[in-house]
Each structure stands twice: as C-alpha cells, then as structure tokens.
Amino acid sequence: PTVTYVEDARMAKAEVRAFSTVTRVLTNQAGTRATGVEYYDAKKERQVQEADVVILAAWSAQNPRILLNSVTDKHPKGLANKNELVGKYMMTHSIAGTWALFDEDITPHMGTIGAQFMSYDRYAKTSYPNAFGSTFMVCGAAMKTTDYANARGDLFGPELAAFMKRAARGITRITCFGEGLPHSENRIELSEQKDEFGLPLARLIHSFDDDAVALWNANFEQGIKIAKATGAKEVWPGRGPVIPTTHLHGGAIMGTGAENSVTNSYGQTHEVPNLWMAGPCIFPSEGASNPTYTIFAVSQRGAELAFIRGKQIGDLSTKLSDVETNLLTKIADNEKAGLSRDEATQKAVTDLATEFGVAKEDLLKQIGATETTLNERVNTLQKTFTEQVGTLETNILTKMAE
C-alpha cells in the first residue's frame, strides 16, 4: 500500500520490534484474560511483553497456530478454542489464467502490476450453470520477463527465446479468481515438526470441492471465449496439473456467537474478551475479489473498537475484579443452559472456586458476599456491569458514526 499507519503509530509511541517471532499468547491464572505474549527477539532470546489488550495480526495460517500453541490447563485445546473452531474453514481462491498473443505491439510491460481492468460480470454465485461460486476477472496487468517465460512452460532453449521476443510485444492475460466455499475439514492443525524455538509448526490441510473445480474449469472456458473475441493470434489456457491458489482466508472466523465462530464481527474473541484477531483469518467466507482493501477496512474497524473497549473495560476493571467478571459470565452461561437464577449462581460460585483452587467461603469473601447475601451482591455487580457496558456501547456507536 502507498499509505500506511506506521509513522502515525510511531508518533504515538508505538515500537516496531523487527525480526521478532511471537510464539504464544499468555493468560491470567483463571484463563479469562490475555496478559501479553511470549516472543523471541532478533537475538533469538525469549521475551515476555505484558499487555492490557492483545491483537494477533499474523496472517490466516499463523494466527490459528499461535492460538493452538497457547495451551494451558484452562485452555487444553488452545486459546479461544473451546468450541474447536480455531484453524477451521480455511479458504483460498483458485486461479484460472488465459493467455492471448497478438502480432501488434500492445506494450504489455506498461501499466500496473495488479490489473488495469476488473470485472464483476460473473460475480453472482450462479453465473455458470454447472458451478457454484463467485468469479472476479482482471486483465491488462503489466507483464514482466518472468511472465513471458512462464506463459509457455513447455518451451526451452531457442524456442523459448523466440517466443519471449514475440511475447515482449504482444502478450496479455485474463485472470479469473474463483471462490472457494468454507468447509470445516479445510483446516490448520499443529504438525509434529517443530520450529527453531521448539514449538509445533502449522500444517495446512486443504482440498477443493466439486463446485470449486467446476468453477475453475468454467473460468478457463470463459477466458478462452473472451480472448478469442479480441482477435488474438494465439489463445491458450494456463492450465497446469494442479489448481493454483492465492489469498488465504479463515482459521479464526467471525460469527454471531461462540457456538459458531471464534470472534465477533470486529475480531474480538468470544472466549477471551481482550484478545483480538485482525486480518483475513476472521473471514467466514471469501467471495472472489482480491481481499486486500477489505482486510484494511475490517482491521481498522476492529482496531478502533479494540481501543475503545480496551480503555473503557480497563476502567471497568477498577470497579469489577477478574473474579467478579468471571462470576457474572458463568452465571449468564448457566442461565443460557436452562438453569434458574439461583441454580446458575450457585453452580457458578462452585465452579469458580474449583478453578481458583479456593474454598467456596473464601471466594464469597473475595466478592464481598456471604451465602445469605450472595444474590443481592450478584444483582449489584450486574447493575454496575450493565451501566458500564451501556456507556461503553454508546461511545462505540458514537465513534463508529464519526
């Protein structure tokens, strides 16, 4: 991108630590909040950076890997992975490139590297009768010497040299990006192989379904039709033995709740409220467009909200301790499971005391309650929490409107 926020961040006292590798997200004893990250610096020395808010923006493959490697006794399946959705629904675009060679000098080296023309004429998911999924078409990209050579991988020596001389004057390409649908079996999981710091590497397991293969073939047919209609001297599909891929998505998808996703639409994880994801890992589907600017927009939207919530929930934490916040969360979960208020409260206290390894009476003391005043104390805590969250949401809406 030609515009970045790096200088703005540095002016705001942000520090860029180059050649550093984050290996795990760290949490508090209860496993309810992220406390920072473990990383190895440029000298390969282990470091810990404490933080009030942690945002992982390490790409679709690495974000799930970090979460899966952040195992604790409270998160035995990995962080934010109680529902076992971390690493699932990995998606990638297929690429169907069609080549056209003209006798005329069309100055193929001129223009932009990406594309000078983009078409959504086949973006509807039912554009082709026997294939389901969106297609995004581009053409007019500036050609480089490597493009000339790769256009005919079957040629060598003098034949390749002669072809490249023609290609330098008259070659172009129509590229169709095809949508891959989300499937849980397409996933990131931890490998038996380990990196230089002793942590498991990520293994990507992915295959295209019948719709994706049909879409890839249909896009080649479409490309051939378009190229022939231009009157090109020669037209051929850039088809190889495997389907080329680009733009990896998924792995920590957004959704409406913990039952169907890892994060909300802002990238905030359901399980650990001060842990956020940024980038294409939160996309629950991918469409067919190049995702770069959508990634920027969604990431900025999430960052703005993370700042607001980080600041105000930090203020809220001065009024409610981790134990109290945890208790309210457990009560709400128990009520969702069908328990009455009294049953939900009693179960939450018992479970929380077990998690913290303290007697029930001691836990009640920590929240300023006794057996007889427990319900009254819970009502007070909920009122405090509701008031603070109400203020928080009002500020969020105001910020979004701005």
Side-chain angles (χ1 to χ4, degrees):
T2 56
V3 178
T4 73
Y5 291 97
V6 174
E7 285 307 313
D8 290 340
R10 283 178 169 152
M11 290 176 65
K13 309 302 181 183
E15 179 183 349
V16 178
R17 297 179 187 172
F19 306 106
S20 296
T21 302
V22 171
T23 49
R24 292 188 303 143
V25 176
L26 307 177
T27 57
N28 60 6
Q29 184 180 1
T32 56
R33 293 184 65 80
T35 58
V37 295
E38 171 193 84
Y39 74 97
Y40 287 81
D41 62 20
K43 297 180 180 179
K44 312 297 183 185
E45 296 178 352
R46 181 183 179 276
Q47 306 288 347
V48 170
Q49 176 60 57
E50 296 181 349
D52 294 325
V53 176
V54 174
I55 302 175
L56 292 185
W59 185 53
S60 282
Q62 285 292 77
N63 272 1
R65 181 195 174 211
I66 293 171
L67 293 177
L68 292 173
N69 274 325
S70 301
V71 172
T72 67
D73 59 338
K74 297 296 188 297
H75 299 278
K77 298 174 184 177
L79 203 54
N81 195 34
K82 188 179 295 184
N83 55 18
E84 299 187 47
L85 290 178
V86 169
K88 302 291 179 65
Y89 299 103
M90 301 301 296
M91 298 160 284
T92 183
H93 291 147
S94 63
I95 307 173
T98 299
W99 295 97
L101 185 62
F102 295 83
D103 284 336
E104 300 92 341
D105 184 358
I106 61 172
T107 59
H109 62 285
M110 300 290 285
T112 60
I113 295 298
Q116 297 182 79
F117 176 77
M118 293 167 277
S119 172
Y120 289 88
D121 285 354
R122 296 294 180 271
Y123 205 77
K125 295 183 188 294
T126 55
S127 294
Y128 300 117
N130 299 315
F132 183 84
S134 298
T135 292
F136 175 57
M137 295 185 289
V138 301
C139 64
M143 297 286 108
K144 305 179 291 296
T145 306
T146 52
D147 295 313
Y148 307 153
N150 290 333
R152 289 294 302 272
D154 58 319
L155 300 180
F156 296 89
E159 290 183 343
L160 176 60
F163 168 78
M164 290 181 67
K165 287 181 181 179
R166 294 177 61 204
R169 286 173 46 86
I171 200 168
T172 190
R173 181 180 63 223
I174 300 167
T175 303
C176 295
F177 298 98
E179 176 182 11
L181 300 178
H183 296 287
S184 61
E185 58 268 26
N186 288 336
R187 64 193 185 277
I188 290 288
E189 60 182 31
L190 295 181
S191 168
E192 294 179 356
Q193 294 182 311
K194 296 185 177 180
D195 65 12
E196 60 184 314
F197 307 115
L199 288 171
L201 294 168
R203 177 193 293 115
L204 173 60
I205 298 172
H206 180 275
S207 62
F208 285 111
D209 63 14
D210 292 343
D211 276 312
V213 175
L215 186 62
W216 186 58
N217 289 322
N219 281 333
F220 273 123
E221 294 174 7
Q222 183 71 28
I224 293 292
K225 288 179 182 178
I226 295 172
K228 286 183 175 180
T230 66
K233 183 75 172 181
E234 298 177 33
V235 173
W236 67 98
R239 185 191 298 271
V242 297
I243 300 178
T245 63
T246 188
H247 307 143
L248 194 64
H249 307 79
I253 63 170
M254 68 171 78
T256 56
E259 68 280 359
N260 59 28
S261 57
V262 178
T263 79
N264 62 19
S265 66
Y266 293 89
Q268 182 182 27
T269 61
H270 301 299
E271 196 172 319
V272 184
N274 67 328
L275 173 62
W276 299 67
M277 303 288 111
C281 68
I282 69 173
F283 288 17
S285 61
E286 65 174 10
S289 295
N290 186 310
T292 301
Y293 294 110
T294 305
I295 292 170
F296 288 169
V298 173
S299 297
Q300 182 168 344
R301 177 175 180 264
E304 290 175 349
L305 187 60
F307 173 77
I308 297 170
R309 283 192 172 169
K311 183 178 185 301
Q312 294 204 5
I313 288 179
D315 296 340
L316 174 60
S317 67
T318 63
K319 299 187 178 182
L320 293 180
S321 68
D322 274 352
V323 176
E324 292 166 336
T325 305
N326 230 329
L327 178 64
L328 294 179
T329 301
K330 286 185 177 295
I331 291 172
D333 289 342
N334 291 339
E335 287 183 322
K336 285 181 182 178
L339 298 183
S340 68
R341 165 52 68 88
D342 287 344
E343 291 171 333
T345 301
Q346 290 298 326
K347 187 176 187 304
V349 171
T350 301
D351 290 346
L352 203 56
T354 301
E355 288 181 15
F356 279 91
V358 299
K360 183 178 177 180
E361 294 75 15
D362 292 332
L363 184 75
L364 291 173
K365 288 180 182 178
Q366 288 188 45
I367 63 171
T370 64
E371 284 283 2
T372 55
T373 63
L374 176 58
N375 287 337
E376 181 182 351
R377 178 57 178 159
V378 166
N379 289 336
T380 300
L381 292 175
Q382 285 186 323
K383 182 179 178 181
T384 301
F385 185 80
T386 300
E387 289 173 351
Q388 290 297 311
V389 170
T391 303
L392 166 62
E393 297 301 331
T394 299
N395 286 347
I396 289 169
L397 291 173
T398 301
K399 178 65 176 177
M400 292 300 107
E402 292 173 355

